[in-house]
Amino acid sequence: MKDIKKESLSIDRLEEVRNKIKELYAKKDEIMRDESLEWQEYVKIMLPLNDELDYYERLLLRIKRYNVQVGDGVTICYYTDKEAGTIIKRTKNTITYQRDKAIRIDDNGMSDCQEYRYERDYVLNTFGVKYEQPLSFIKNWITPYVELG
């Protein structure tokens, strides 16, 4: 497998990596529907395919992390807690983000399947609560919203 740290993180590669992920998912779906495969054959095919898919998904996330732009939605991770946010300013060395309000829109109760919509939190932002962090903060604590389709 290729070394992900040596890959180009240019924003120009974003579409190429998304297309590769879609291609791999299509291949995976095709294999999963093939009922003629024996269990051993299935595992022999799927393990490397899953590794390749994982590689490209991590690469996509790295590209998005290093190319966040003003207006991008992000998840800010504080150890076990997570908050929605939006990048509102980016300089050469820092990013500034604001917290957003996450509003749950499903009726699933306590479950793993939850849906949210996000809005600007005017109460918080009225007081000027903005967080400025060095760009290295993105690598460890911020996950950008990544859309595959």
Side-chain angles (χ1 to χ4, degrees):
M1 188 57 62
K2 299 180 243 174
D3 184 3
I4 199 164
K5 292 181 180 176
K6 293 182 180 176
E7 289 279 355
S8 164
L9 298 177
S10 166
I11 194 74
D12 300 334
R13 294 207 53 211
L14 197 61
E15 203 56 41
E16 169 198 338
V17 173
R18 277 190 181 134
N19 289 336
K20 183 67 176 177
I21 290 170
K22 287 178 189 176
E23 175 189 314
L24 290 170
Y25 270 115
K27 190 174 180 180
K28 189 174 175 178
D29 287 344
E30 183 182 319
I31 292 166
M32 289 172 69
R33 287 192 193 105
D34 186 353
E35 295 177 9
S36 67
L37 287 174
E38 293 293 325
W39 183 82
Q40 291 86 353
E41 292 175 276
Y42 177 80
V43 170
K44 193 175 182 179
I45 294 169
M46 288 301 275
L47 286 177
L49 184 61
N50 284 336
D51 288 344
E52 188 176 9
L53 188 56
D54 179 57
Y55 174 84
Y56 281 102
E57 286 176 337
R58 286 184 296 122
L59 179 58
L60 180 68
L61 186 57
R62 282 176 57 94
I63 290 171
K64 281 296 283 181
R65 272 195 174 130
Y66 287 95
N67 294 287
V68 291
Q69 302 296 320
V70 172
D72 283 354
V74 294
T75 301
I76 299 102
C77 304
Y78 303 104
Y79 299 99
T80 59
D81 297 337
K82 295 181 180 181
E83 291 181 340
T86 303
I87 302 293
I88 57 172
K89 180 181 170 191
R90 179 178 175 155
T91 66
K92 183 179 177 186
N93 298 318
T94 64
I95 57 158
T96 304
Y97 64 92
Q98 66 187 23
R99 287 178 27 196
D100 292 338
K101 187 188 311 183
I103 300 165
R104 190 152 173 206
I105 58 173
D106 65 65
D107 294 323
N108 297 334
M110 290 185 66
S111 72
D112 291 337
C113 183
Q114 299 176 356
E115 293 180 45
Y116 292 86
R117 84 168 188 268
Y118 303 95
E119 296 177 355
R120 187 172 183 177
D121 192 335
Y122 289 100
V123 174
L124 269 177
N125 294 323
T126 303
F127 297 105
V129 178
K130 296 180 178 100
Y131 306 89
E132 187 166 292
Q133 300 290 347
L135 286 178
S136 61
F137 184 76
I138 295 172
K139 182 179 176 185
N140 298 316
W141 302 105
I142 292 186
T143 304
Y145 173 70
V146 177
E147 189 173 326
L148 294 179

